[in-house]
PDB file of all heavy atoms in Angstrom:
ATOM      1  N   HIS Q 768     -13.499   8.954  15.654  1.00 88.00           N
ATOM      2  CA  HIS Q 768     -14.440  10.079  15.625  1.00 88.00           C
ATOM      3  C   HIS Q 768     -15.554   9.849  14.604  1.00 88.00           C
ATOM      4  O   HIS Q 768     -15.909  10.754  13.852  1.00 88.00           O
ATOM      5  CB  HIS Q 768     -13.716  11.395  15.356  1.00 88.00           C
ATOM      6  CG  HIS Q 768     -12.642  11.704  16.336  1.00 88.00           C
ATOM      7  ND1 HIS Q 768     -12.897  12.052  17.643  1.00 88.00           N
ATOM      8  CD2 HIS Q 768     -11.295  11.676  16.222  1.00 88.00           C
ATOM      9  CE1 HIS Q 768     -11.764  12.253  18.280  1.00 88.00           C
ATOM     10  NE2 HIS Q 768     -10.777  12.018  17.446  1.00 88.00           N
ATOM     11  N   GLY Q 769     -16.071   8.625  14.548  1.00 86.00           N
ATOM     12  CA  GLY Q 769     -17.161   8.295  13.642  1.00 86.00           C
ATOM     13  C   GLY Q 769     -16.719   7.796  12.282  1.00 86.00           C
ATOM     14  O   GLY Q 769     -17.550   7.450  11.449  1.00 86.00           O
ATOM     15  N   ASP Q 770     -15.445   7.759  12.030  1.00 89.00           N
ATOM     16  CA  ASP Q 770     -14.919   7.309  10.744  1.00 89.00           C
ATOM     17  C   ASP Q 770     -14.268   5.937  10.877  1.00 89.00           C
ATOM     18  O   ASP Q 770     -13.757   5.587  11.944  1.00 89.00           O
ATOM     19  CB  ASP Q 770     -13.813   8.249  10.231  1.00 89.00           C
ATOM     20  CG  ASP Q 770     -14.342   9.607   9.832  1.00 89.00           C
ATOM     21  OD1 ASP Q 770     -15.544   9.714   9.532  1.00 89.00           O
ATOM     22  OD2 ASP Q 770     -13.545  10.559   9.804  1.00 89.00           O
ATOM     23  N   VAL Q 771     -14.232   5.211   9.766  1.00 88.00           N
ATOM     24  CA  VAL Q 771     -13.407   4.008   9.717  1.00 88.00           C
ATOM     25  C   VAL Q 771     -11.967   4.477   9.909  1.00 88.00           C
ATOM     26  O   VAL Q 771     -11.531   5.458   9.292  1.00 88.00           O
ATOM     27  CB  VAL Q 771     -13.545   3.291   8.354  1.00 88.00           C
ATOM     28  CG1 VAL Q 771     -12.571   2.135   8.231  1.00 88.00           C
ATOM     29  CG2 VAL Q 771     -14.976   2.806   8.151  1.00 88.00           C
ATOM     30  N   ALA Q 772     -11.251   3.813  10.794  1.00 87.00           N
ATOM     31  CA  ALA Q 772      -9.864   4.204  11.060  1.00 87.00           C
ATOM     32  C   ALA Q 772      -9.014   4.026   9.803  1.00 87.00           C
ATOM     33  O   ALA Q 772      -9.165   3.046   9.083  1.00 87.00           O
ATOM     34  CB  ALA Q 772      -9.305   3.368  12.206  1.00 87.00           C
ATOM     35  N   GLY Q 773      -8.152   4.982   9.543  1.00 88.00           N
ATOM     36  CA  GLY Q 773      -7.223   4.879   8.406  1.00 88.00           C
ATOM     37  C   GLY Q 773      -5.998   4.080   8.818  1.00 88.00           C
ATOM     38  O   GLY Q 773      -4.916   4.640   8.959  1.00 88.00           O
ATOM     39  N   SER Q 774      -6.168   2.789   9.015  1.00 90.00           N
ATOM     40  CA  SER Q 774      -5.108   1.941   9.585  1.00 90.00           C
ATOM     41  C   SER Q 774      -4.054   1.503   8.569  1.00 90.00           C
ATOM     42  O   SER Q 774      -2.956   1.127   8.951  1.00 90.00           O
ATOM     43  CB  SER Q 774      -5.727   0.695  10.204  1.00 90.00           C
ATOM     44  OG  SER Q 774      -6.675   1.060  11.177  1.00 90.00           O
ATOM     45  N   ASN Q 775      -4.397   1.507   7.305  1.00 93.00           N
ATOM     46  CA  ASN Q 775      -3.473   1.054   6.260  1.00 93.00           C
ATOM     47  C   ASN Q 775      -3.194   2.205   5.308  1.00 93.00           C
ATOM     48  O   ASN Q 775      -4.085   2.967   4.968  1.00 93.00           O
ATOM     49  CB  ASN Q 775      -4.082  -0.116   5.481  1.00 93.00           C
ATOM     50  CG  ASN Q 775      -4.435  -1.276   6.392  1.00 93.00           C
ATOM     51  OD1 ASN Q 775      -3.573  -1.841   7.035  1.00 93.00           O
ATOM     52  ND2 ASN Q 775      -5.709  -1.598   6.465  1.00 93.00           N
ATOM     53  N   ASP Q 776      -1.969   2.301   4.876  1.00 93.00           N
ATOM     54  CA  ASP Q 776      -1.558   3.347   3.950  1.00 93.00           C
ATOM     55  C   ASP Q 776      -1.624   2.789   2.531  1.00 93.00           C
ATOM     56  O   ASP Q 776      -1.069   1.725   2.253  1.00 93.00           O
ATOM     57  CB  ASP Q 776      -0.128   3.779   4.294  1.00 93.00           C
ATOM     58  CG  ASP Q 776       0.287   5.048   3.583  1.00 93.00           C
ATOM     59  OD1 ASP Q 776       0.176   5.101   2.329  1.00 93.00           O
ATOM     60  OD2 ASP Q 776       0.753   5.974   4.268  1.00 93.00           O
ATOM     61  N   TYR Q 777      -2.299   3.506   1.627  1.00 94.00           N
ATOM     62  CA  TYR Q 777      -2.421   3.041   0.242  1.00 94.00           C
ATOM     63  C   TYR Q 777      -1.049   2.806  -0.401  1.00 94.00           C
ATOM     64  O   TYR Q 777      -0.902   1.961  -1.277  1.00 94.00           O
ATOM     65  CB  TYR Q 777      -3.245   4.022  -0.591  1.00 94.00           C
ATOM     66  CG  TYR Q 777      -2.500   5.287  -0.961  1.00 94.00           C
ATOM     67  CD1 TYR Q 777      -1.829   5.378  -2.170  1.00 94.00           C
ATOM     68  CD2 TYR Q 777      -2.439   6.373  -0.087  1.00 94.00           C
ATOM     69  CE1 TYR Q 777      -1.130   6.530  -2.507  1.00 94.00           C
ATOM     70  CE2 TYR Q 777      -1.746   7.516  -0.412  1.00 94.00           C
ATOM     71  CZ  TYR Q 777      -1.091   7.592  -1.624  1.00 94.00           C
ATOM     72  OH  TYR Q 777      -0.394   8.715  -1.949  1.00 94.00           O
ATOM     73  N   ARG Q 778      -0.031   3.535   0.062  1.00 96.00           N
ATOM     74  CA  ARG Q 778       1.310   3.344  -0.506  1.00 96.00           C
ATOM     75  C   ARG Q 778       1.873   1.980  -0.148  1.00 96.00           C
ATOM     76  O   ARG Q 778       2.682   1.420  -0.892  1.00 96.00           O
ATOM     77  CB  ARG Q 778       2.251   4.456  -0.034  1.00 96.00           C
ATOM     78  CG  ARG Q 778       1.831   5.836  -0.569  1.00 96.00           C
ATOM     79  CD  ARG Q 778       2.603   6.937   0.068  1.00 96.00           C
ATOM     80  NE  ARG Q 778       2.273   7.022   1.496  1.00 96.00           N
ATOM     81  CZ  ARG Q 778       2.747   7.955   2.310  1.00 96.00           C
ATOM     82  NH1 ARG Q 778       3.577   8.876   1.860  1.00 96.00           N
ATOM     83  NH2 ARG Q 778       2.398   7.960   3.582  1.00 96.00           N
ATOM     84  N   ASP Q 779       1.437   1.400   0.974  1.00 96.00           N
ATOM     85  CA  ASP Q 779       1.866   0.042   1.314  1.00 96.00           C
ATOM     86  C   ASP Q 779       1.233  -0.980   0.378  1.00 96.00           C
ATOM     87  O   ASP Q 779       1.883  -1.925  -0.054  1.00 96.00           O
ATOM     88  CB  ASP Q 779       1.532  -0.280   2.776  1.00 96.00           C
ATOM     89  CG  ASP Q 779       2.386   0.509   3.748  1.00 96.00           C
ATOM     90  OD1 ASP Q 779       3.531   0.862   3.389  1.00 96.00           O
ATOM     91  OD2 ASP Q 779       1.915   0.771   4.858  1.00 96.00           O
ATOM     92  N   LEU Q 780      -0.040  -0.786   0.058  1.00 96.00           N
ATOM     93  CA  LEU Q 780      -0.700  -1.688  -0.884  1.00 96.00           C
ATOM     94  C   LEU Q 780      -0.082  -1.572  -2.277  1.00 96.00           C
ATOM     95  O   LEU Q 780       0.293  -2.574  -2.886  1.00 96.00           O
ATOM     96  CB  LEU Q 780      -2.198  -1.388  -0.949  1.00 96.00           C
ATOM     97  CG  LEU Q 780      -2.975  -2.215  -1.966  1.00 96.00           C
ATOM     98  CD1 LEU Q 780      -2.946  -3.698  -1.621  1.00 96.00           C
ATOM     99  CD2 LEU Q 780      -4.408  -1.710  -2.065  1.00 96.00           C
ATOM    100  N   LEU Q 781       0.053  -0.353  -2.766  1.00 96.00           N
ATOM    101  CA  LEU Q 781       0.624  -0.160  -4.104  1.00 96.00           C
ATOM    102  C   LEU Q 781       2.110  -0.503  -4.129  1.00 96.00           C
ATOM    103  O   LEU Q 781       2.613  -1.011  -5.137  1.00 96.00           O
ATOM    104  CB  LEU Q 781       0.375   1.269  -4.579  1.00 96.00           C
ATOM    105  CG  LEU Q 781      -1.101   1.642  -4.753  1.00 96.00           C
ATOM    106  CD1 LEU Q 781      -1.232   3.078  -5.216  1.00 96.00           C
ATOM    107  CD2 LEU Q 781      -1.809   0.693  -5.697  1.00 96.00           C
ATOM    108  N   GLY Q 782       2.817  -0.253  -3.035  1.00 96.00           N
ATOM    109  CA  GLY Q 782       4.222  -0.646  -2.940  1.00 96.00           C
ATOM    110  C   GLY Q 782       4.374  -2.156  -3.015  1.00 96.00           C
ATOM    111  O   GLY Q 782       5.281  -2.681  -3.676  1.00 96.00           O
ATOM    112  N   GLU Q 783       3.480  -2.863  -2.340  1.00 96.00           N
ATOM    113  CA  GLU Q 783       3.510  -4.329  -2.402  1.00 96.00           C
ATOM    114  C   GLU Q 783       3.193  -4.810  -3.812  1.00 96.00           C
ATOM    115  O   GLU Q 783       3.790  -5.771  -4.302  1.00 96.00           O
ATOM    116  CB  GLU Q 783       2.516  -4.910  -1.402  1.00 96.00           C
ATOM    117  CG  GLU Q 783       2.593  -6.407  -1.288  1.00 96.00           C
ATOM    118  CD  GLU Q 783       1.682  -6.970  -0.211  1.00 96.00           C
ATOM    119  OE1 GLU Q 783       1.017  -6.208   0.525  1.00 96.00           O
ATOM    120  OE2 GLU Q 783       1.654  -8.197  -0.098  1.00 96.00           O
ATOM    121  N   LEU Q 784       2.277  -4.131  -4.484  1.00 96.00           N
ATOM    122  CA  LEU Q 784       1.944  -4.478  -5.867  1.00 96.00           C
ATOM    123  C   LEU Q 784       3.158  -4.336  -6.775  1.00 96.00           C
ATOM    124  O   LEU Q 784       3.517  -5.276  -7.491  1.00 96.00           O
ATOM    125  CB  LEU Q 784       0.808  -3.584  -6.370  1.00 96.00           C
ATOM    126  CG  LEU Q 784       0.491  -3.668  -7.867  1.00 96.00           C
ATOM    127  CD1 LEU Q 784      -0.091  -5.019  -8.219  1.00 96.00           C
ATOM    128  CD2 LEU Q 784      -0.444  -2.549  -8.270  1.00 96.00           C
ATOM    129  N   VAL Q 785       3.833  -3.187  -6.743  1.00 94.00           N
ATOM    130  CA  VAL Q 785       4.975  -2.990  -7.643  1.00 94.00           C
ATOM    131  C   VAL Q 785       6.169  -3.848  -7.238  1.00 94.00           C
ATOM    132  O   VAL Q 785       6.954  -4.256  -8.087  1.00 94.00           O
ATOM    133  CB  VAL Q 785       5.370  -1.499  -7.785  1.00 94.00           C
ATOM    134  CG1 VAL Q 785       4.237  -0.695  -8.395  1.00 94.00           C
ATOM    135  CG2 VAL Q 785       5.805  -0.893  -6.471  1.00 94.00           C
ATOM    136  N   SER Q 786       6.286  -4.151  -5.963  1.00 95.00           N
ATOM    137  CA  SER Q 786       7.360  -5.022  -5.499  1.00 95.00           C
ATOM    138  C   SER Q 786       7.127  -6.464  -5.957  1.00 95.00           C
ATOM    139  O   SER Q 786       8.018  -7.092  -6.540  1.00 95.00           O
ATOM    140  CB  SER Q 786       7.442  -4.955  -3.974  1.00 95.00           C
ATOM    141  OG  SER Q 786       8.317  -5.933  -3.479  1.00 95.00           O
ATOM    142  N   THR Q 787       5.946  -6.976  -5.701  1.00 94.00           N
ATOM    143  CA  THR Q 787       5.642  -8.379  -5.979  1.00 94.00           C
ATOM    144  C   THR Q 787       5.390  -8.638  -7.460  1.00 94.00           C
ATOM    145  O   THR Q 787       5.938  -9.573  -8.032  1.00 94.00           O
ATOM    146  CB  THR Q 787       4.403  -8.813  -5.165  1.00 94.00           C
ATOM    147  OG1 THR Q 787       4.649  -8.539  -3.794  1.00 94.00           O
ATOM    148  CG2 THR Q 787       4.131 -10.281  -5.333  1.00 94.00           C
ATOM    149  N   ARG Q 788       4.568  -7.817  -8.077  1.00 92.00           N
ATOM    150  CA  ARG Q 788       4.148  -8.081  -9.456  1.00 92.00           C
ATOM    151  C   ARG Q 788       5.137  -7.546 -10.493  1.00 92.00           C
ATOM    152  O   ARG Q 788       5.257  -8.102 -11.566  1.00 92.00           O
ATOM    153  CB  ARG Q 788       2.760  -7.507  -9.706  1.00 92.00           C
ATOM    154  CG  ARG Q 788       1.680  -8.086  -8.813  1.00 92.00           C
ATOM    155  CD  ARG Q 788       1.434  -9.553  -9.048  1.00 92.00           C
ATOM    156  NE  ARG Q 788       0.580  -9.696 -10.210  1.00 92.00           N
ATOM    157  CZ  ARG Q 788       0.410 -10.823 -10.866  1.00 92.00           C
ATOM    158  NH1 ARG Q 788       1.013 -11.911 -10.472  1.00 92.00           N
ATOM    159  NH2 ARG Q 788      -0.355 -10.875 -11.927  1.00 92.00           N
ATOM    160  N   LEU Q 789       5.834  -6.445 -10.171  1.00 91.00           N
ATOM    161  CA  LEU Q 789       6.761  -5.860 -11.139  1.00 91.00           C
ATOM    162  C   LEU Q 789       8.218  -6.099 -10.768  1.00 91.00           C
ATOM    163  O   LEU Q 789       9.113  -5.694 -11.495  1.00 91.00           O
ATOM    164  CB  LEU Q 789       6.501  -4.350 -11.283  1.00 91.00           C
ATOM    165  CG  LEU Q 789       5.086  -3.957 -11.725  1.00 91.00           C
ATOM    166  CD1 LEU Q 789       4.952  -2.448 -11.794  1.00 91.00           C
ATOM    167  CD2 LEU Q 789       4.732  -4.608 -13.053  1.00 91.00           C
ATOM    168  N   GLY Q 790       8.448  -6.723  -9.611  1.00 94.00           N
ATOM    169  CA  GLY Q 790       9.804  -7.080  -9.215  1.00 94.00           C
ATOM    170  C   GLY Q 790      10.667  -5.946  -8.722  1.00 94.00           C
ATOM    171  O   GLY Q 790      11.895  -6.053  -8.727  1.00 94.00           O
ATOM    172  N   LEU Q 791      10.064  -4.843  -8.270  1.00 94.00           N
ATOM    173  CA  LEU Q 791      10.863  -3.741  -7.746  1.00 94.00           C
ATOM    174  C   LEU Q 791      11.473  -4.121  -6.404  1.00 94.00           C
ATOM    175  O   LEU Q 791      10.811  -4.713  -5.555  1.00 94.00           O
ATOM    176  CB  LEU Q 791      10.010  -2.483  -7.561  1.00 94.00           C
ATOM    177  CG  LEU Q 791      10.132  -1.427  -8.665  1.00 94.00           C
ATOM    178  CD1 LEU Q 791       9.652  -1.960  -9.986  1.00 94.00           C
ATOM    179  CD2 LEU Q 791       9.404  -0.176  -8.274  1.00 94.00           C
ATOM    180  N   SER Q 792      12.711  -3.752  -6.211  1.00 94.00           N
ATOM    181  CA  SER Q 792      13.399  -3.960  -4.937  1.00 94.00           C
ATOM    182  C   SER Q 792      12.872  -2.950  -3.928  1.00 94.00           C
ATOM    183  O   SER Q 792      12.213  -1.978  -4.303  1.00 94.00           O
ATOM    184  CB  SER Q 792      14.901  -3.742  -5.134  1.00 94.00           C
ATOM    185  OG  SER Q 792      15.133  -2.373  -5.438  1.00 94.00           O
ATOM    186  N   PRO Q 793      13.199  -3.136  -2.636  1.00 90.00           N
ATOM    187  CA  PRO Q 793      12.812  -2.106  -1.657  1.00 90.00           C
ATOM    188  C   PRO Q 793      13.322  -0.710  -2.046  1.00 90.00           C
ATOM    189  O   PRO Q 793      12.628   0.281  -1.843  1.00 90.00           O
ATOM    190  CB  PRO Q 793      13.433  -2.605  -0.355  1.00 90.00           C
ATOM    191  CG  PRO Q 793      13.455  -4.098  -0.515  1.00 90.00           C
ATOM    192  CD  PRO Q 793      13.774  -4.318  -1.984  1.00 90.00           C
TER     193      PRO Q 793
END
């Protein structure tokens, strides 16, 4: 509807950050 699609959830990006960089488990 005229917007960039919200295809990615910011929680996935930040979740990957804390998982990879801080070693958090799932």
Side-chain angles (χ1 to χ4, degrees):
H768 303 290
D770 291 337
V771 173
S774 303
N775 302 299
D776 192 306
Y777 75 94
R778 295 170 294 184
D779 290 331
L780 176 64
L781 297 180
E783 187 175 356
L784 171 68
V785 298
S786 171
T787 305
R788 300 295 279 164
L789 302 179
L791 260 63
S792 67

